[in-house]
Amino acid sequence: MKIRTAVIPVAGKGTRFLPATKEIPKEMIPILTKPMIHYAVEEAVLSGIEQIVFVTSSGKTAIEDYFDRNIELETFLERAGKGELAESMKKLGSMIEVTSVRQKEQLGLGHAINCARDLIKDEAFAVILGDDLVRGSNPVTKQLIEISAKNNNSPVIGVMEVPKEDTNKYGIIDGEAINGSNKTYKMSKMVEKPNPDEAPTNLATPGRYILTQEIFKYLDEIPRGVGGEYQLTDAINAMAKNTSVYAHIFEGSRFDTGSITGYLNATVEFAMMDDQYKEIMLDICRENIKKYE
Ligand code: UTP
């Protein structure tokens, strides 16, 4: 079954980036010249997704505007002899169909996904957290779509191996590797931030999912969980009791750009991997190491 839609929840307050996020959506903070959200949408496009549903809140219109055409800017750039830049702006504005829905109260990730249900039609869909970037030659959402297709169009959760001592920072899955695979697991449950000695595995869930319509039944049923919020983890756990849910160790480097450390890390690494900025970033790093080490 084709996965046509990706839900990208962006309604959070981004408190770790205050004061910047008082007026700018966290997702619009750039890594080099592209805002974080650009990388997430690019991943969706490269994964064959045709429609993005942003779950937004007040103060987030910049995200929708970013993926819209800006004819005035395009004309200005063309007149200024910057045709190539004008062309890339045009492309950006017609990259993908974007719709949005408001989450009026930030009641958690599970609640945010539930807000998008009327725009998803009657299909399976992807969820991409816009502040978790994964860099690699094979887009992570595409990898998960393929695993879902191979396993009866079941829900699939993207997971990554983390050091055992870090399990208390993540949702961790429990499960059994499926026949002949050391990357794909049949999930039995998910545990929120377990201590290393209680963690069933070291497979963490950083924010990539393929979900089926069934999830909405569980999102409707779950009570408020950790932090008084409706947790997607709780709904997936409930679903895994009755239906096959898979977890797949994806290929690619993941950056938690919703945190300052992850953001700095992504900025340095993305620059290092870019021909235009690599030498500049190396010089900056060398100079600063000399100065501050
Ligand atoms: P986070 O908790 O990491 O993001 O939620 P946040 O709330 O924006 O940031 P901090 O923690 O205050 O710094 C993960 C993702 O889920 C979305 C967020 O926008 C983010 O992309 N989210 C979270 C919602 O859309 N709605 C919610 O109610 C909660």
Side-chain angles (χ1 to χ4, degrees):
M1 192 187 15
K2 172 117 177 81
I3 309 271
R4 260 188 277 265
T5 303
V7 177
I8 307 188
V10 293
K13 297 251 177 273
T15 53
R16 285 169 286 175
F17 275 86
L18 281 169
T21 44
K22 180 166 173 276
E23 291 301 326
I24 306 168
K26 170 177 69 180
E27 298 77 9
M28 288 304 293
I29 295 175
I31 296 169
L32 303 186
T33 55
K34 295 178 191 167
M36 287 179 203
I37 195 69
H38 186 120
Y39 297 94
V41 170
E42 216 163 48
E43 176 189 318
V45 172
L46 292 171
S47 300
I49 297 291
E50 294 164 7
Q51 180 196 215
I52 300 285
V53 176
F54 287 123
V55 182
T56 68
S57 55
S58 62
K60 299 271 182 171
T61 46
I63 297 175
E64 290 149 80
D65 290 346
Y66 181 79
F67 291 101
D68 201 354
R69 292 274 305 266
N70 183 335
I71 308 281
E72 202 184 318
L73 176 64
E74 288 166 20
T75 313
F76 169 82
L77 290 169
E78 264 156 21
R79 285 202 187 126
K82 299 184 176 178
E84 216 175 289
L85 207 47
E87 206 44 49
S88 73
M89 290 302 104
K90 218 180 274 176
K91 250 197 205 152
L92 171 57
S94 40
M95 198 170 169
I96 196 163
E97 188 194 326
V98 164
T99 51
S100 65
V101 61
R102 281 281 176 119
Q103 185 189 24
K104 296 206 171 83
E105 228 183 318
Q106 279 63 69
L107 295 177
L109 183 57
H111 180 258
I113 303 300
N114 215 356
C115 290
R117 77 196 291 172
D118 289 344
L119 294 174
I120 298 171
K121 303 177 193 102
D122 206 10
E123 296 175 343
F125 58 100
V127 173
I128 299 177
L129 295 198
D131 55 1
D132 263 314
L133 300 191
V134 183
R135 208 183 160 107
S137 51
N138 190 3
V140 55
T141 294
K142 185 162 178 252
Q143 296 175 44
L144 303 186
I145 289 173
E146 282 164 8
I147 296 298
S148 173
K150 271 191 204 156
N151 291 284
N152 221 8
N153 298 317
S154 300
V156 181
I157 297 165
V159 291
M160 60 180 191
E161 291 174 288
V162 297
K164 196 83 182 174
E165 62 271 20
D166 287 347
T167 55
N168 57 1
K169 296 183 189 149
Y170 300 95
I172 298 287
I173 66 116
D174 194 0
E176 293 280 324
I178 62 170
N179 280 348
S181 172
N182 54 1
K183 297 263 181 211
T184 309
Y185 292 71
K186 176 111 184 284
M187 195 191 99
S188 54
K189 66 173 191 282
M190 222 194 262
V191 192
E192 235 355 277
K193 302 187 173 136
N195 285 325
D197 52 341
E198 285 160 4
T201 64
N202 67 336
L203 300 175
T205 58
R208 294 292 185 279
Y209 310 85
I210 304 299
L211 298 172
T212 52
Q213 285 287 314
E214 218 181 328
I215 194 69
F216 293 116
K217 168 170 164 316
Y218 297 98
L219 285 171
D220 282 343
E221 281 171 12
I222 51 164
R224 288 180 190 237
V226 177
E229 295 187 341
Y230 294 100
Q231 301 288 350
L232 181 60
T233 307
D234 292 343
I236 292 175
N237 252 334
M239 183 166 68
K241 285 193 183 127
N242 300 315
T243 196
S244 296
V245 177
Y246 293 87
H248 180 70
I249 305 177
F250 57 79
E251 286 164 24
S253 316
R254 176 260 186 178
F255 301 88
D256 172 16
T257 50
S259 75
I260 302 295
T261 312
Y263 174 74
L264 288 174
N265 200 359
T267 303
V268 174
E269 193 159 331
F270 281 38
M272 292 286 194
M273 291 182 73
D274 188 308
D275 289 344
Q276 197 181 344
Y277 300 111
K278 182 179 175 189
E279 288 307 320
I280 298 169
M281 182 54 93
L282 278 170
D283 282 345
I284 292 172
C285 291
R286 285 189 201 105
E287 280 301 310
N288 279 288
I289 290 169
K290 256 193 256 158
K291 250 195 256 175
Y292 296 109
E293 203 174 38

